[in-house]
Amino acid sequence: MRFPKLPNLGLGDRIPSHQELERMEKEEAGDRPKWDNKTQYMLTCVGFCVGLGNVWRFPYLCQSHGGGAFMIPFLILLVLEGIPLLHLEFAIGQRLRSGSVGVWTAINPYLTGVGIASLLVSFLVGMYYNTIIAWVMWYFFNSFQNPLPWSQCPVNANLTDLVSECTRSSPVDYFWYRDTLNTSTSIGDSGGLQWWMVLCLLCAWLLLYVCCLRGIATTGKAVYVTSTLPYVVLTIFLIRGLTLKGSLDGIKFLFTPDLNELMNPSTWLDAGAQVFYSFSLAFGGLISFSSYNSVHNNCEQDAVIISIINGFTSVYSATVIYSIIGFRATERFDDCLEGNILALLNAFNLAEGSIKEGNYAESLQNLNGTFPETIQSLDLKTCDLQTFLSQGVEGTGLAFIVFTEAITKMPVSPLWSILFFIMLFCLGLSTMFGSIEGTVVPLQDLNIFPKRWPKEAITGIVCLVSFVIALIFAQSSGNYWLALFDSFAGSIPLLVIAFCEMIAVVYIYGIDRFNKDIEFMIGHKPNLFWQVTWRFVSPLIVLVIFVFYFVTKVSSNVTYIAWNPSSEDFPTLEVLEYPAWIYVIIFILAGVPSLVVPGTAIFKLIRRCCSNKNVYGAEVDTVSAKVQMFTTKMS
Amino acid sequence: MVSKTLNAPNGYKVRISLKTALGEDAYEWNQSEMFFFQATMAFAMRRHFQMETYNVDNIILCVQTSRVSFWFVVTSPDNTTMLIPKADVEKAVRMSRHRINNAFLLSDRTLEFLGIYPTLAAPVNPDTPPWLIVFGVVIGAVCVGIIALLISSLLQKRRKEKGMTEDGQDEEDMQVKGVENGINLDGTYNRGFTDDDRFTKL
């Protein structure tokens, strides 16, 4: 029984046949770059997949969606959604030996839009992702001093007192919002470029350029460090963390299962979204990387191994992060309690040591019974360890506020700070390699630049243009712009692209042909699991996530949180609504890449109708050989 | 037990936290220590006013609690009924704060004069912020790397171009010699049967 597929003429002429692939393999024909060895390929893919999200998004999701119970939806969706999609991208790249634009154009010229959408998303995401790396570098540069600049409030101008913005919030908050970002109070208030941020941004893009200069020839060497160093640092932090007081409380808090959360649909949605984004799917980078492999590389095994590594890294880094968070929460709790005890001792002139942690509650009750007004006037804070633990933040808040605070409380803080930010830097940089690959290779395939221009020049232009546009993020309002990009550029379009990818391979390329290809490449046909997931399960999951995301975003009032020292609830962040003109930007970020998919198809259709040329004119050209069969420049 | 707010406009409340400062090595606060405090304060007054007439009796202590905290006022050496104004006492304390702290092995935080805030340490401002130095090192290394890679790419290309023009000639010579199946055939190779056009062009 042949699986239904849409009509697709001329496919055989656009793609290399199995015999040609064998021949190319033996002769090593063509000037396509190749991996030096399998390790480079695996490390590059692991580096691309394992990124900042594993460190600062997964732990938060885990903790907020029922701890250990979150593993269940996460692992289920990893198997049903992550692994099949990963295998699909690897296989199609290895088979058609091209980047994203090349692959989809080869499958059907009307699908070029999918490749272009991948290009746009890689470009937009790369821009803001590298800005985060610039922030990491800023913190890294500032870690080479003792005491760390975010450990204490600075003194104000006339040396009378500490800066009030700092005393009202905290030194780490102040350093992040004021010294680093110099953030304005709203997204509309741009506040000009911050020169130190521009320098860090320049450094980040130059560093990326030096690593991506020659494509995988240079990145292949860089990944030996950037993909392995994070694991070393995580292990060091784990060992250090476990020796600190309170770390086990943190780990227990993280993994304590609350099975009721499984009834909550948002748990499953967040798990699905996390698996999806964590695998860096639909960027085009993975397709590109696997196209440099030899034809008979076992892509099925690779997909499974990388998925397992990715899942394991998420859990491992969550453990490490929460051991340190547990330490911080315990320190905060101890400080809070000490502060209260001191206030009581001072107010009632009791001897030191008469109230300790053990008898605090009892003594407080006694005193409250006899002198309630005094107790009231003291304004004691409620110290609850659980509250401090669930101050689990995610994203930049976790890395630059919570974790940096924890580091200041550890002995030899500069060392831990340097290690931590090197780890974040490596995690981010290895993901950027995939982003750049997903931007540069499609540009080459689309022939935007003249063919004789070397790869160095094209990569340089991409880096330069990205740097110039990313200067938006170096303004005072840069943080808000980055949050905007993060919510819209990297979410909806990727889901659309992934869905189209699966439909394209299963229904337009033909799952039967795809199965035969895989049998040719790795020696056996993909088993029932792959068949079911590719045809029904994975597209359905992606569709469901997309619909929910879309509906939530469209129906809710789009707001953002801002740092405003003059707001009432300071230091709590203020919730503001976006101004009207932001919706144009949101449309550009989310709408344009998504609409490019049907848009390009319509554009090509119109062009074909207007010029009335036979699109499949390849039939005439293919009689003499050595032809345009390996390139996919049609119409 | 609750300290009433004393109507002592010229007095200061002192609070001492021995256990916080010294932990296990904390000494016991007794009357001798109080005497020591009086002597230290007298010393501070002498130092500030540069009058050698201040004595232990001029420092009057009251409302001692087990916290340890107490109030003190300073009387003028000439007229014991007259109290030294608060501002002058503050100046004297500020001047000798460091000596007073050290006398008791305490710090600004553990020997508190309520109302006299410790002067904040002036921030140490290095000429170049340390982050700029690290930044300079990193960006210098990166620029050197970029230039090195670009130059090596250029050199590689030039070598390839040179190599290709030489290789081209070698290949032709090989064909003329007629190496077939690895056996060197003697005799001249008939170019007429060379397989240049494997595929007939239309």
Side-chain angles (χ1 to χ4, degrees):
Chain A
M1 186 205 91
R2 287 201 50 181
F3 197 70
K5 66 178 265 246
L6 297 168
N8 189 4
L9 296 169
L11 180 60
D13 304 320
R14 292 195 294 271
I15 61 176
S17 72
H18 291 179
Q19 296 91 322
E20 271 137 22
L21 286 177
E22 283 284 14
R23 201 174 59 80
M24 274 161 63
E25 181 79 5
K26 291 206 189 86
E27 289 180 7
E28 297 197 358
D31 50 347
R32 197 159 182 80
K34 271 169 45 120
W35 297 107
D36 287 347
N37 51 49
K38 184 75 182 275
T39 320
Q40 264 189 13
Y41 166 62
M42 292 299 277
L43 283 178
T44 309
C45 288
V46 165
F48 188 26
C49 295
V50 171
L52 295 170
N54 296 69
V55 165
W56 71 31
R57 175 90 178 132
F58 178 80
Y60 169 75
L61 284 177
C62 202
Q63 174 267 114
S64 66
H65 283 299
F70 185 72
M71 295 295 160
I72 299 175
F74 181 71
L75 288 172
I76 291 178
L77 287 167
L78 187 103
V79 168
L80 292 179
E81 181 198 351
I83 303 187
L85 270 167
L86 199 62
H87 186 199
L88 188 115
E89 290 211 351
F90 281 163
I92 203 75
Q94 195 171 299
R95 168 68 181 88
L96 297 180
R97 316 207 67 72
S98 188
S100 61
V101 162
V103 157
W104 305 118
T105 313
I107 291 183
N108 192 312
Y110 291 115
L111 286 176
T112 314
V114 179
I116 299 180
S118 285
L119 160 69
L120 287 174
V121 171
S122 286
F123 178 67
L124 289 172
V125 170
M127 262 199 296
Y128 81 77
Y129 210 82
N130 216 27
T131 310
I132 298 178
I133 295 182
W135 290 342
V136 168
M137 293 185 88
W138 162 259
Y139 269 80
F140 173 72
F141 295 149
N142 274 291
S143 304
F144 285 87
Q145 44 187 297
N146 197 10
L148 293 169
W150 54 83
S151 59
Q152 55 205 161
C153 279
V155 182
N156 66 9
N158 29 0
L159 298 185
T160 47
D161 195 4
L162 303 172
V163 175
S164 85
E165 189 182 344
C166 185
T167 44
R168 284 192 293 153
S169 53
S170 75
V172 272
D173 280 311
Y174 181 78
F175 186 78
W176 169 238
Y177 287 108
R178 190 54 52 211
D179 283 337
T180 308
L181 301 173
N182 195 13
T183 187
S184 61
T185 51
S186 74
I187 198 171
D189 178 13
S190 93
L193 291 176
Q194 312 303 311
W195 64 270
W196 58 93
M197 263 306 117
V198 176
L199 285 181
C200 289
L201 204 57
L202 180 70
C203 192
W205 280 104
L206 281 178
L207 232 163
L208 183 65
Y209 181 54
V210 83
C211 291
C212 291
L213 199 38
R214 289 203 210 135
I216 63 168
T218 36
T219 61
K221 310 286 185 304
V223 290
Y224 283 116
V225 174
T226 61
S227 295
T228 52
L229 196 57
Y231 291 97
V232 174
V233 175
L234 277 174
T235 311
I236 295 176
F237 263 100
L238 183 68
I239 298 174
R240 171 78 265 227
L242 288 175
T243 60
L244 293 170
K245 178 186 176 205
S247 54
L248 289 173
D249 290 322
I251 299 179
K252 256 189 275 174
F253 180 74
L254 171 72
F255 286 123
T256 311
D258 175 12
L259 289 164
N260 292 324
E261 279 285 338
L262 293 181
M263 302 299 153
N264 185 1
S266 83
T267 305
W268 291 86
L269 277 166
D270 279 340
Q274 172 63 14
V275 166
F276 181 73
Y277 295 128
S278 159
F279 276 85
S280 303
L281 297 160
F283 279 90
L286 290 171
I287 299 179
S288 217
F289 285 145
S290 77
S291 73
Y292 304 133
N293 272 329
S294 99
V295 167
H296 293 296
N297 176 51
N298 193 344
C299 50
E300 181 186 39
Q301 198 186 54
D302 295 342
V304 173
I305 291 178
I306 290 180
S307 309
I308 293 176
I309 293 179
N310 198 5
F312 162 75
T313 310
S314 293
V315 176
Y316 189 51
S317 59
T319 313
V320 175
I321 296 285
Y322 263 83
S323 76
I324 304 287
I325 287 189
F327 160 69
R328 170 191 174 264
T330 310
E331 282 276 316
R332 274 214 156 181
F333 175 72
D334 285 345
D335 284 343
C336 176
L337 208 56
E338 247 182 65
N340 282 358
I341 291 178
L342 197 66
L344 284 178
L345 291 180
N346 289 349
F348 295 103
N349 283 318
L350 305 165
E352 281 180 287
S354 56
I355 304 184
K356 284 212 185 66
E357 197 179 314
N359 59 359
Y360 170 74
E362 201 188 304
S363 323
L364 180 63
Q365 231 185 355
N366 287 342
L367 291 169
N368 204 6
T370 27
F371 303 101
E373 317 86 31
T374 336
I375 298 286
Q376 273 261 322
S377 67
L378 284 178
D379 199 18
L380 296 172
K381 299 186 218 134
T382 24
C383 302
D384 177 27
L385 186 61
Q386 295 298 309
T387 323
F388 287 124
L389 281 171
S390 53
Q391 263 172 5
V393 216
E394 53 161 339
T396 50
L398 174 66
F400 300 120
I401 299 181
V402 171
F403 214 82
T404 44
E405 187 186 338
I407 287 178
T408 57
K409 300 193 200 288
M410 291 159 62
V412 200
S413 324
L415 171 68
W416 304 112
S417 183
I418 292 171
L419 277 178
F420 178 63
F421 290 112
I422 282 187
M423 175 183 83
L424 287 188
F425 173 73
C426 287
L427 285 171
L429 191 68
S430 51
T431 309
M432 281 306 297
F433 293 156
S435 240
I436 288 286
E437 181 76 15
T439 312
V440 168
V441 172
L443 284 176
Q444 285 181 312
D445 286 345
L446 287 171
N447 288 324
I448 303 245
F449 299 107
K451 271 230 132 170
R452 54 186 181 78
W453 282 23
K455 188 156 192 154
E456 289 90 338
I458 302 179
T459 318
I461 292 177
V462 167
C463 288
L464 183 66
V465 172
S466 301
F467 167 67
V468 167
I469 303 180
L471 286 174
I472 307 174
F473 305 122
Q475 299 173 312
S476 277
S477 53
N479 188 27
Y480 308 132
W481 282 98
L482 199 134
L484 185 71
F485 269 64
D486 191 25
S487 321
F488 293 103
S491 56
I492 305 252
L494 287 172
L495 292 163
V496 170
I497 297 172
F499 185 72
C500 292
E501 284 187 1
M502 284 188 281
I503 301 296
V505 170
V506 174
Y507 297 98
I508 302 183
Y509 185 73
I511 189 77
D512 301 307
R513 186 187 263 264
F514 192 55
N515 287 335
K516 289 208 196 77
D517 286 335
I518 295 185
E519 192 177 7
F520 163 72
M521 289 196 293
I522 64 178
H524 60 265
K525 233 176 125 167
N527 59 30
L528 184 65
F529 166 74
W530 303 111
Q531 303 304 321
V532 171
T533 46
W534 282 334
R535 293 178 206 207
F536 310 113
V537 178
S538 304
L540 188 65
I541 295 178
V542 171
L543 186 66
V544 166
I545 297 177
F546 168 71
V547 167
F548 269 94
Y549 242 69
F550 191 72
V551 166
T552 339
K553 283 272 154 79
V554 164
S555 62
S556 68
N557 233 347
V558 201
T559 59
Y560 67 106
I561 40 175
W563 177 262
N564 187 357
S566 41
S567 83
E568 297 170 348
D569 292 319
F570 187 79
T572 318
L573 296 162
E574 207 184 359
V575 177
L576 296 173
E577 270 190 30
Y578 279 121
W581 53 270
I582 283 286
Y583 290 97
V584 177
I585 310 278
I586 292 180
F587 175 73
I588 296 178
L589 292 175
V592 167
S594 312
L595 291 175
V596 151
V597 177
T600 322
I602 296 174
F603 171 73
K604 290 204 169 182
L605 195 65
I606 294 177
R607 215 167 62 152
R608 181 187 140 182
C609 287
C610 286
S611 63
N612 218 0
K613 209 166 54 167
N614 190 0
V615 172
Y616 303 106
E619 291 174 39
V620 178
D621 296 323
T622 50
V623 177
S624 72
K626 280 193 236 174
V627 173
Q628 316 277 309
M629 274 215 270
F630 306 145
T631 60
T632 50
K633 285 175 280 301
M634 289 301 306
S635 64
Chain B
M1 221 162 64
V2 182
S3 88
K4 306 180 183 67
T5 34
L6 267 187
N7 191 7
N10 284 322
Y12 274 106
K13 181 169 178 183
V14 176
R15 192 186 290 141
I16 297 184
S17 313
L18 284 171
K19 291 223 178 73
T20 316
L22 303 165
E24 300 239 320
D25 303 326
Y27 50 81
E28 194 201 320
W29 189 265
N30 50 28
Q31 288 304 107
S32 307
E33 303 286 346
M34 293 300 297
F35 180 78
F36 190 18
F37 182 79
Q38 287 172 305
T40 322
M41 282 311 300
F43 162 76
M45 299 301 291
R46 284 197 184 194
R47 201 159 163 246
H48 176 67
F49 288 105
Q50 289 175 346
M51 282 162 54
E52 308 231 326
T53 47
Y54 279 97
N55 223 322
V56 180
D57 310 318
N58 294 119
I59 316 292
I60 305 177
L61 309 165
C62 37
V63 197
Q64 299 177 31
T65 69
S66 53
R67 167 62 182 81
V68 169
S69 71
F70 50 84
W71 286 80
F72 76 94
V73 285
V74 184
T75 58
S76 159
D78 308 320
N79 181 1
T80 45
T81 47
M82 211 180 71
L83 296 176
I84 304 287
K86 206 162 173 172
D88 291 333
V89 177
E90 177 172 344
K91 284 190 207 137
V93 168
R94 273 193 194 278
M95 187 175 173
S96 308
R97 190 64 190 265
H98 189 61
R99 300 291 298 272
I100 301 174
N101 285 349
N102 277 357
F104 293 95
L105 308 174
L106 297 172
S107 69
D108 280 355
R109 213 171 50 90
T110 40
L111 171 57
E112 298 168 75
F113 287 83
L114 298 189
I116 303 181
Y117 298 110
T119 38
L120 300 162
V124 179
N125 267 332
D127 292 326
T128 21
W131 76 266
L132 264 182
I133 301 174
V134 187
F135 166 77
V137 169
V138 171
I139 228 181
V142 167
C143 288
V144 166
I146 292 179
I147 294 173
L149 281 175
L150 285 175
I151 290 181
S152 81
S153 293
L154 271 170
L155 289 176
Q156 253 183 22
K157 251 195 222 148
R158 268 197 219 140
R159 253 184 257 137
K160 243 197 225 167
E161 279 167 22
K162 262 199 221 154
M164 271 181 38
T165 45
E166 286 177 15
D167 279 341
Q169 289 190 343
D170 287 339
E171 274 178 17
E172 270 188 36
D173 289 335
M174 289 263 285
Q175 276 198 342
V176 170
K177 287 221 184 90
V179 179
E180 255 185 57
N181 293 340
I183 309 167
N184 242 327
L185 295 174
D186 286 328
T188 357
Y189 188 72
N190 194 337
R191 286 273 198 102
F193 296 108
T194 2
D195 205 10
D196 274 335
D197 298 309
R198 288 215 312 243
F199 300 93
T200 18
K201 293 197 186 79
L202 272 191

